[in-house]
Amino acid sequence: MVLGEVVRAARTTAVPFADCWITPAAREAAGRVLASGWVTSGPEVGLFEAEFADTVGASHAVAVSSCTAGIELALRSLHLPDQAAVLTSTLTFCGAVQAILHAGLRPVLVDVDAMTGLPTTETVERAAGTVRPEAMVVVHWAGDPVDTASLAAAAGLPPERIVEDAAHAVGTSWRGEPVGTGSAVCFSFYATKNLPIGEGGMITTDDPDRADWMRSARLHGMTADAWRRYLPGGGWRYDVEEAGLKANLTDLQAAIGREQLHALPDWQRRRGDIARRYDAGLAGVPAVGLPHRPRAEDGVHAWHLYPIRVADGLRDHVQAELAGKEIATSVHFIPVHRLSWFRVSCTLPAGGLPGADRLFDQLLSLPMYPRLRDDQVDAVCEAVAAALGTSPHRGETCPSL
């Protein structure tokens, strides 16, 4: 299928899985940057960093090319020994584990609770018993907040050795604090994320020295970037004191991101409304478990994903039935230990990863994005119920995942 046919097919899908909406204001900002003559990293990046840090309550923010690059930089900034063990959930995107490998470290996979998709203190302790960890990448899967402090304690690690994978967690909070206030928290602005730019990421930290190191390391380790070198009065000289990456964000992306930030509160409210409508529409449907979410006193779910669990091996049947009605779904994620490369490049805990294996065979992510209409949500619920041979019972108390 050629590109034009792919685009046309996507436009005719009754309920697409994702929707990358760039606001009119963001499009205007992109045009302004294009007309400026400076489109790579420059003043817009600095402004976006400051505004994003303020949004999540962090002291510093470092804009990068992706969340994956952010995780690698955050780990490199710890200056751990080569091949040091780093714990991370097996229920994560493969790129997040590639980041550990690219940092010269060895991933140690952690199992998850089969009902929540999140690691527990028990699964962390079991993985940490396999090999002494030097750091941990904690994943706020689907936008569901993790008790990072408890997991760090279970791993025997101090807070500064924790890197948070918050690719799904723009809008997530825990115990009154937005995810973003910590040792190193990495966000994604990929096209499907809660703050979509297309590509890009951000690292937030409360450590000024670490922020400075990552700003240099994101651009080859150079002590002065192009913007500072070419400003009036700037000089061409720079030094490279340590190996770095090519992982900077551009002014074009930053300008879009700054405007998208203005829309974020309304988008997050809409995501919450959609989750509640799904809850009501799927409540009581046999063989469907609704997504885990924190207690109200514990935190706020960002609802990047709405992952249901379909029991009794019916997941693929439901997915196929919905696809036949032009309703797109996905699965997040294939556990890392089920992917060939990671079976040899990662360390698995004794006893395997049974929680992730059990959950994976049941996971199905339903469409979730702010421009999803109520009638589309209802159509998805009805299609799920029909695939399972029943009809949705709205308004009943939903079973927890």
Side-chain angles (χ1 to χ4, degrees), residues 156-229:
L157 292 169
E160 62 269 19
R161 294 291 183 91
I162 303 301
V163 173
E164 296 180 55
D165 178 350
H168 295 178
V170 172
T172 299
S173 66
W174 178 255
R175 305 262 169 96
E177 294 289 335
V179 166
T181 56
S183 167
V185 186
C186 303
F187 295 91
S188 173
F189 306 135
Y190 182 66
T192 62
K193 296 301 191 289
N194 291 38
L195 187 70
I197 293 175
E199 296 285 356
M202 191 77 75
I203 314 165
T204 58
T205 180
D206 293 330
D207 183 336
D209 293 333
R210 203 167 175 188
D212 286 343
W213 186 92
M214 290 186 291
R215 285 195 183 97
S216 174
R218 71 182 169 185
L219 198 59
H220 309 294
M222 297 166 66
T223 55
D225 60 26
W227 176 249
R228 284 179 288 176
R229 296 200 309 275

Side-chain angles (χ1 to χ4, degrees), residues 23-35:
T23 67
R27 295 178 213 174
E28 290 179 11
R32 171 173 49 78
V33 170
L34 289 172

Side-chain angles (χ1 to χ4, degrees), residues 56 173 187 237 278 346 355 376 398:
V56 302
S173 66
F187 295 91
R237 295 183 184 276
Y278 271 136
C346 298
Q376 291 176 309
C398 66

Side-chain angles (χ1 to χ4, degrees), residues 38 40-44 219 224-232 234 251:
W38 189 275
T40 188
S41 301
E44 291 286 342
L219 198 59
D225 60 26
W227 176 249
R228 284 179 288 176
R229 296 200 309 275
Y230 297 137
L231 281 172
D251 264 21

Side-chain angles (χ1 to χ4, degrees), residues 2-366:
V2 298
L3 179 59
E5 292 172 337
V6 172
V7 172
R8 285 193 294 275
R11 287 174 178 169
T12 60
T13 300
V15 186
F17 178 70
D19 172 60
C20 181
W21 174 244
I22 305 299
T23 67
R27 295 178 213 174
E28 290 179 11
R32 171 173 49 78
V33 170
L34 289 172
S36 74
W38 189 275
V39 296
T40 188
S41 301
E44 291 286 342
V45 169
L47 292 168
F48 185 35
E49 289 174 333
E51 291 163 7
F52 188 85
D54 184 64
T55 297
V56 302
S59 299
H60 306 275
V62 180
V64 289
S65 57
S66 67
C67 183
T68 303
I71 294 170
E72 181 176 349
L73 286 167
L75 288 169
R76 285 176 179 247
S77 72
L78 293 172
H79 296 95
L80 300 175
D82 188 46
Q83 293 301 301
V86 177
L87 302 178
T88 196
S89 171
T90 190
L91 192 65
T92 189
F93 182 57
C94 61
V97 184
Q98 295 278 21
I100 299 172
L101 292 165
H102 292 162
L105 307 170
R106 183 165 183 83
V108 179
L109 300 181
V110 178
D111 201 8
V112 299
D113 186 312
M115 302 295 285
T116 69
L118 304 176
T120 66
T121 54
E122 291 77 16
T123 63
V124 168
E125 286 173 355
R126 185 158 63 89
T130 303
V131 58
R132 182 177 179 275
E134 295 288 344
M136 178 165 57
V137 177
V138 173
V139 183
H140 298 283
W141 176 70
D144 198 359
V146 173
D147 184 353
T148 303
S150 293
L151 296 188
L157 292 169
E160 62 269 19
R161 294 291 183 91
I162 303 301
V163 173
E164 296 180 55
D165 178 350
H168 295 178
V170 172
T172 299
S173 66
W174 178 255
R175 305 262 169 96
E177 294 289 335
V179 166
T181 56
S183 167
V185 186
C186 303
F187 295 91
S188 173
F189 306 135
Y190 182 66
T192 62
K193 296 301 191 289
N194 291 38
L195 187 70
I197 293 175
E199 296 285 356
M202 191 77 75
I203 314 165
T204 58
T205 180
D206 293 330
D207 183 336
D209 293 333
R210 203 167 175 188
D212 286 343
W213 186 92
M214 290 186 291
R215 285 195 183 97
S216 174
R218 71 182 169 185
L219 198 59
H220 309 294
M222 297 166 66
T223 55
D225 60 26
W227 176 249
R228 284 179 288 176
R229 296 200 309 275
Y230 297 137
L231 281 172
W236 55 268
R237 295 183 184 276
Y238 59 86
D239 195 9
V240 176
E241 298 171 345
E242 197 167 345
L245 306 176
K246 171 61 172 173
N248 58 305
L249 195 75
T250 68
D251 264 21
L252 182 60
Q253 294 166 298
I256 294 170
R258 292 180 64 202
E259 292 299 334
Q260 298 286 78
L261 268 177
H262 295 306
L264 183 63
D266 286 340
W267 287 344
Q268 288 304 113
R269 281 190 288 271
R270 178 57 184 159
R271 285 178 180 271
D273 290 344
I274 292 169
R276 285 185 287 273
R277 195 171 189 93
Y278 271 136
D279 289 347
L282 295 170
V285 177
V288 171
L290 302 190
H292 177 264
R293 73 285 315 275
R295 298 179 303 173
E297 61 268 30
D298 281 341
V300 175
H301 199 302
W303 295 115
H304 170 59
L305 300 175
Y306 190 91
I308 63 171
R309 191 177 69 182
V310 183
D312 302 321
L314 296 173
R315 187 267 311 277
D316 290 349
H317 166 71
V318 172
Q319 188 277 329
E321 289 292 306
L322 267 60
K325 296 179 179 179
E326 295 189 309
I327 296 171
T329 59
S330 190
V331 173
H332 296 83
F333 295 98
I334 301 172
V336 170
H337 69 278
R338 288 197 176 194
L339 302 173
S340 300
W341 170 242
F342 298 103
R343 285 198 290 269
V344 298
S345 60
C346 298
T347 298
L348 277 61
L353 299 148
D357 283 329
R358 178 185 170 198
L359 180 58
F360 167 61
D361 291 336
Q362 300 175 337
L363 278 177
L364 186 66
S365 295
L366 302 181

